[in-house]
Amino acid sequence: MKPEESATTGADLLVKALIDEEVEVVFGYPGGAVLPIYDSLFKQNRLRHILVRHEQAAVHAAEGYARSTGKVGVVLVTSGPGATNAVTGLTDALMDSIPIVCLTGQVPTHLIGNDAFQEADTTGITRPCTKHNYLVKAVGDLARTVHEAFYVARSGRPGPVVIDLPKDVLMNKHDYVAPKKPVQHKSYRPQVKPEARKVEEAIELIAGAKRPIFYAGGGIVNAGPKASKLLTQFVHMTGYPITNTLMGLGTFPASDKQFLGMLGMHGTYEANLAMYHCDVMINIGARFDDRITGKLAEFSPKSKKIHVDIDPSSINKNVRIDLPIVGDAGHVLEEMIRVWKARQPKVDHKALKAWWAEIDKWRARNCLAYKQDKETIKPQYALERLYHHIKDRDHYITTEVGQHQMWAAQFLKFEQPNRWMTSGGLGTMGYGFPAAMGVQIAHPDALVIDVAGEASIMMNIQELSTVAQYRLPVKIFILNNQYMGMVRQWQELLHGGRYSESYMESLPDFVKLAEAFGAVGLRCQDPAKLDDTIKQMIDIKQPVVVDVLVDKTENCFPMIPSGAAHYDMLLGPDDRAAKPVSEEGMVLV
Amino acid sequence: MSTPETSSHTISVLVDNEPGILARVVGLFSGRGYNIESLTVAETDARENLSRITIVTAGTPMVIEQIKAQLDRLVPVHKVRDLTVEGPHIERELALVKVKGTGDKRVEALRLADVFRAKVIDAKTDSFVFEVTGTSDKVRTFVGLMEGLGLVELGRTGIVAMSRGGDAL
């Protein structure tokens, strides 16, 4: 086919398609196969490109951007190693349902399969770690594919989508195809609106509950900020208790008295016991992850379970559901509120009062208690003080993975959605810092803090160079216990205290490290000076690395040991001798 | 908790006939630890560019439900039907069976082929290739009989299946 006069190169078409998809920022790293795209980027000023220092960080940055804005995060990497380096980020986005479009370069079509330089079977490698992927073989398909990719990434249960772009496709010419609205895909049509009958059944079940609990997850975040408002409204209408998953924190205000805190392996005593003893469970946008359920056979054995999820494959996967509702959390909540208002159901207030009394008894155990002394900073204390100083500011929190992540989930309070970015499903060390960069790009004036451990932060420490280049005032708040804390904790609890390879030898001097990259480094070891250090960190309008030296052997409690049931929590160090971990549990992660 | 019974299900999947679709389906099964007892795939609608995949798999009811939901979630998948639970259906399989031998065994093979309505599609003085069509059970039985009569090579298509009656996938 002879291209028209107006025809443009594939690379220019791509940039045009991205602009039409309302993309503002691309996180990427150049290389041979994507040079035509970088040339197109150079010639325009609508798209901003953020140069990361490793492709994994590009994806995490895009995740942070996406999760804090509700938009699709866009990544651009080259062929071969560029694509393989992005795989961890893509898997992370898949597990946590984050909308990402990742553009990967590819060798020219005639070289595919030839073991060419920097060739990798990118669609083959990324098939199991994306929601969908494409190899564009002709420039005529390019624009349409990009539009479809954005639709797939953001609709239904969001996820990462890869578009593999051979270099010749980027250089050939074709006319542009604008996106069609509304999108009608021939086979992919996620169910957004729930069946009315199911919602009515649910309301009946909810209204008749004597020991109810709401259990809300990341699906509410993905359904948009309105869904969180609707959730809050509905929970208030019922007067029922609610718990959030790690991914769902912020969808219900943490300061509300109906909030029981996070549930699961390191969730609160009251949340987990309420899950165990409830008679009606209303799961909205959560997926009964193994960190939540603990021992499946003893998971909430007495309850009728309602499960609202946009992904039918999440329903009845681990836990038998009595009333499944497929649909978008926002739509379902809207319907639930409408039906509830119309019916004005009579809630059993007496039973509810008794249920709250029981919950308050569990709450009184004060399961997050710790003892701060004058000598060493307890990590929990560091986070409590951090929260004290940031709570009245416009702030966003990201984390790495490990003990510090769980403490952050326990001790920082989230009042709104989209403020908390953490790697939940995949548990990717090295996630938090690049994610914080992505958040800061989207919210330049906000206070963005990566709560980190000294081990995790080393996994993407090279990004200090990126924050220096773009003057991103990201704060890295390291709880430095000189151990891979969670590994150490498991070794203490499960492996007789044999701390195999979990001690961080030869840690860098984080203050000097920060300075070497042009950031500011602070250190604090004295509990009495902690407040000043945090205030200083907040006041410095530059990237700051804060090295907080905390108690080396503090463990993260409460804890449901692997393989144990919700009622079998370890509440503190004194508890564990009485409850050895079962052999079954030893096998589990 | 009692372990629920495992049962075999025949699932029809209508997909876009595009590169990688089979890898997506097979990868889903291997990645999630489901087993495939039989798999057939071919284009069935050239105009609409559709292929039909027929999968026989086994699992507990919960696992079967998961398999169907996971298949349905793939972007290029149009329809997923569990023929085993959605009313009566028919299943057929085709096998090519090569038998080598002379004398009585050869005569007996030919006689049994007739009983099973298998067609001779290739013949030499010391060999036959039979084409046998039917349920997997029938094919298995025929192949079993041929084992004693000089079976040297076997090719099976795997199962294709369809619901009875006028309703289409």
Side-chain angles (χ1 to χ4, degrees):
Chain A
M1 192 172 68
K2 198 172 159 241
E4 302 289 320
E5 278 299 303
S6 60
T8 36
T9 65
D12 284 342
L13 289 177
L14 173 69
V15 169
K16 198 163 159 41
L18 294 178
I19 291 167
D20 272 356
E21 292 294 338
E22 292 163 18
V23 176
E24 289 161 354
V25 189
V26 177
F27 300 91
Y29 202 103
V34 286
L35 283 176
I37 303 174
Y38 276 86
D39 204 41
S40 297
L41 286 173
F42 191 80
K43 291 183 292 198
Q44 57 83 49
N45 53 17
R46 296 277 297 278
L47 288 182
R48 186 174 179 205
H49 180 273
I50 303 295
L51 176 69
V52 295
R53 300 305 192 263
H54 187 289
E55 289 87 348
Q56 183 195 352
V59 189
H60 293 326
E63 286 184 273
Y65 178 89
R67 189 113 180 128
S68 68
T69 60
K71 298 178 192 169
V72 178
V74 181
V75 178
L76 169 57
V77 298
T78 195
S79 64
T84 56
N85 275 347
V87 164
T88 300
L90 293 169
T91 312
D92 191 273
L94 183 72
M95 293 284 270
D96 286 344
S97 310
I98 313 288
I100 298 287
V101 168
C102 177
L103 310 159
T104 57
Q106 183 54 277
V107 299
T109 45
H110 69 274
L111 284 179
I112 289 178
N114 239 323
D115 298 327
F117 176 64
Q118 291 197 329
E119 183 187 354
D121 174 10
T122 301
T123 47
I125 290 168
T126 60
R127 205 171 281 131
C129 65
T130 54
K131 182 175 175 185
H132 194 51
N133 63 15
Y134 302 89
L135 170 63
V136 181
K137 283 186 175 159
V139 65
D141 298 333
L142 178 57
R144 186 191 53 76
T145 304
V146 173
H147 300 315
E148 187 180 312
F150 273 85
Y151 172 65
V152 171
R154 70 161 80 91
S155 62
R157 179 177 179 177
V161 176
V162 161
I163 312 175
D164 203 23
L165 299 160
K167 196 170 183 183
D168 55 334
V169 170
L170 295 171
M171 300 185 77
N172 290 341
K173 289 186 171 181
H174 200 274
D175 291 328
Y176 181 66
V177 186
K180 277 192 215 124
K181 299 269 162 76
V183 191
Q184 265 291 344
H185 194 277
K186 57 187 190 303
S187 55
Y188 170 74
R189 291 189 204 94
Q191 185 182 337
V192 178
K193 296 234 163 76
E195 280 177 63
R197 187 179 50 84
K198 292 274 181 81
V199 174
E200 287 182 14
E201 275 178 50
I203 291 299
E204 208 159 296
L205 204 53
I206 295 169
K210 294 187 189 314
R211 295 185 309 281
I213 187 160
F214 281 93
Y215 148 45
I220 311 257
V221 180
N222 281 330
K226 195 183 160 202
S228 294
K229 288 208 177 75
L230 292 168
L231 174 74
T232 309
Q233 189 190 341
F234 189 48
V235 172
H236 283 159
M237 281 165 81
T238 59
Y240 293 176
I242 175 169
T243 176
N244 270 150
T245 65
L246 180 71
M247 296 307 291
L249 292 175
T251 60
F252 189 85
S255 57
D256 194 292
K257 58 184 188 311
Q258 279 172 259
F259 186 59
L260 306 190
M262 182 176 75
L263 80 162
M265 187 175 266
H266 294 288
T268 64
Y269 188 63
E270 52 270 32
N272 285 328
L273 283 189
M275 287 289 278
Y276 183 79
H277 291 286
C278 70
D279 70 340
V280 173
M281 179 188 297
I282 309 124
N283 169 355
I284 308 178
R287 60 182 177 89
F288 294 105
D289 180 272
D290 56 73
R291 299 291 103 158
I292 295 301
T293 60
K295 188 176 184 179
L296 267 176
E298 295 198 61
F299 174 69
S300 194
K302 287 163 278 187
S303 63
K304 291 265 183 215
K305 298 175 186 74
I306 300 168
H307 186 184
V308 178
D309 206 301
I310 200 160
D311 177 4
S313 77
S314 284
I315 295 171
N316 281 327
K317 186 169 69 177
N318 318 321
V319 172
R320 185 46 76 187
I321 299 304
D322 298 284
L323 181 56
I325 301 177
V326 176
D328 171 88
H331 282 98
V332 177
L333 279 160
E334 212 165 359
E335 275 303 291
M336 283 180 164
I337 290 169
R338 193 185 59 74
V339 176
W340 186 276
K341 277 184 179 162
R343 290 204 181 174
Q344 300 282 348
K346 288 203 173 37
V347 173
D348 187 343
H349 288 288
K350 206 175 141 214
L352 196 58
K353 211 175 151 200
W355 178 229
W356 272 112
E358 209 169 338
I359 289 171
D360 285 339
K361 237 172 27 201
W362 297 326
R363 256 182 183 163
R365 289 292 296 265
N366 196 13
C367 67
L368 297 177
Y370 63 92
K371 288 183 203 114
Q372 174 61 47
D373 57 36
K374 286 199 172 106
E375 306 299 318
T376 44
I377 301 172
K378 290 281 181 185
Q380 302 95 320
Y381 178 72
L383 288 167
E384 274 195 333
R385 295 319 298 163
L386 177 70
Y387 185 67
H388 173 81
H389 292 287
I390 64 173
K391 67 175 189 283
D392 297 325
R393 293 169 186 267
D394 182 22
H395 69 270
Y396 294 81
I397 302 289
T398 71
T399 74
E400 309 292 334
V401 168
Q403 283 182 323
H404 67 273
Q405 177 190 29
M406 292 298 110
W407 281 316
Q410 292 171 340
F411 287 89
L412 304 177
K413 306 293 169 209
F414 298 93
E415 303 291 321
Q416 296 168 60
N418 305 98
R419 298 288 173 146
W420 161 247
M421 274 51 61
T422 195
S423 171
L426 194 65
T428 311
M429 292 170 74
Y431 165 90
F433 179 29
M437 299 187 330
V439 175
Q440 190 80 75
I441 293 284
H443 311 277
D445 301 321
L447 177 62
V448 183
I449 302 170
D450 170 31
V451 174
E454 83 294 334
S456 279
I457 193 63
M458 292 298 287
M459 286 216 184
N460 268 318
I461 195 73
Q462 77 286 345
E463 297 306 317
L464 277 171
S465 178
T466 309
V467 294
Q469 178 177 347
Y470 297 98
R471 300 178 206 287
L472 302 175
V474 169
K475 319 297 182 210
I476 302 174
F477 193 73
I478 303 175
L479 299 176
N480 185 348
N481 59 5
Q482 299 183 20
Y483 276 109
M484 295 160 206
M486 197 59 95
V487 173
R488 194 206 58 76
Q489 177 168 340
W490 279 52
Q491 286 173 335
E492 180 186 327
L493 264 47
L494 275 77
H495 295 276
R498 293 179 295 279
Y499 300 126
S500 178
E501 303 290 327
S502 56
Y503 184 73
M504 292 299 285
E505 297 271 7
S506 311
L507 279 167
D509 178 331
F510 284 106
V511 173
K512 282 188 187 155
L513 182 73
E515 285 162 1
F517 278 101
V520 177
L522 304 174
R523 179 170 293 122
C524 184
Q525 193 163 10
D526 179 358
K529 290 186 182 143
L530 183 60
D531 281 296
D532 280 345
T533 310
I534 293 169
K535 275 189 254 175
Q536 212 185 336
M537 170 191 89
I538 293 169
D539 288 341
I540 298 170
K541 303 296 173 214
Q542 288 179 66
V544 185
V545 179
V546 188
D547 187 16
V548 186
L549 300 176
V550 297
D551 187 337
K552 291 182 191 181
T553 56
E554 186 72 10
N555 283 333
C556 189
F557 289 113
M559 177 179 183
I560 303 175
S562 42
H566 278 173
Y567 56 81
D568 228 358
M569 297 193 87
L570 302 181
L571 282 174
D574 309 329
D575 220 11
R576 70 166 186 265
K579 295 173 186 164
V581 175
S582 67
E583 264 184 54
E584 258 171 274
M586 288 280 286
V587 184
L588 303 171
V589 278
Chain B
M1 244 185 355
S2 61
T3 330
E5 293 272 317
T6 297
S7 63
S8 188
H9 286 243
T10 305
I11 297 169
S12 276
V13 192
L14 204 62
V15 299
D16 279 332
N17 182 17
E18 62 176 34
I21 179 62
L22 189 58
R24 272 180 221 289
V25 170
V26 172
L28 172 73
F29 276 74
S30 64
R32 292 186 183 266
Y34 309 141
N35 65 63
I36 299 179
E37 292 178 353
S38 163
L39 174 74
T40 56
V41 53
E43 185 181 75
T44 51
D45 187 338
R47 200 162 40 91
E48 296 287 323
N49 197 33
L50 295 176
S51 286
R52 182 176 177 128
I53 300 176
T54 309
I55 304 166
V56 181
T57 182
T60 61
M62 214 155 157
V63 167
I64 296 292
E65 193 185 336
Q66 257 301 293
I67 291 174
K68 288 185 276 184
Q70 292 289 352
L71 283 168
D72 212 16
R73 205 159 79 118
L74 298 177
V75 170
V77 167
H78 289 253
K79 276 179 191 167
V80 179
R81 283 284 154 78
D82 185 343
L83 296 172
T84 305
V85 299
E86 291 178 22
H89 71 285
I90 30 185
E91 294 188 4
R92 287 294 178 270
E93 192 178 354
L94 183 146
L96 299 181
V97 185
K98 187 179 280 186
V99 179
K100 209 173 162 191
T102 52
D104 286 353
K105 283 195 173 173
R106 180 173 163 84
V107 175
E108 182 61 9
L110 197 60
R111 207 183 61 78
L112 282 169
D114 195 42
V115 172
F116 278 79
R117 275 181 269 172
K119 282 193 285 185
V120 176
I121 54 172
D122 179 69
K124 291 279 178 309
T125 53
D126 65 341
S127 72
F128 285 121
V129 175
F130 297 117
E131 173 196 316
V132 61
T133 310
T135 61
S136 296
D137 219 27
K138 174 184 166 184
V139 170
R140 258 195 307 274
T141 311
F142 181 69
V143 171
L145 290 168
M146 290 303 120
E147 268 170 10
L149 300 171
L151 176 76
V152 290
E153 194 176 347
L154 174 65
R156 290 171 67 167
T157 57
I159 286 164
V160 287
M162 200 170 273
S163 62
R164 287 185 184 273
D167 290 343
L169 177 68

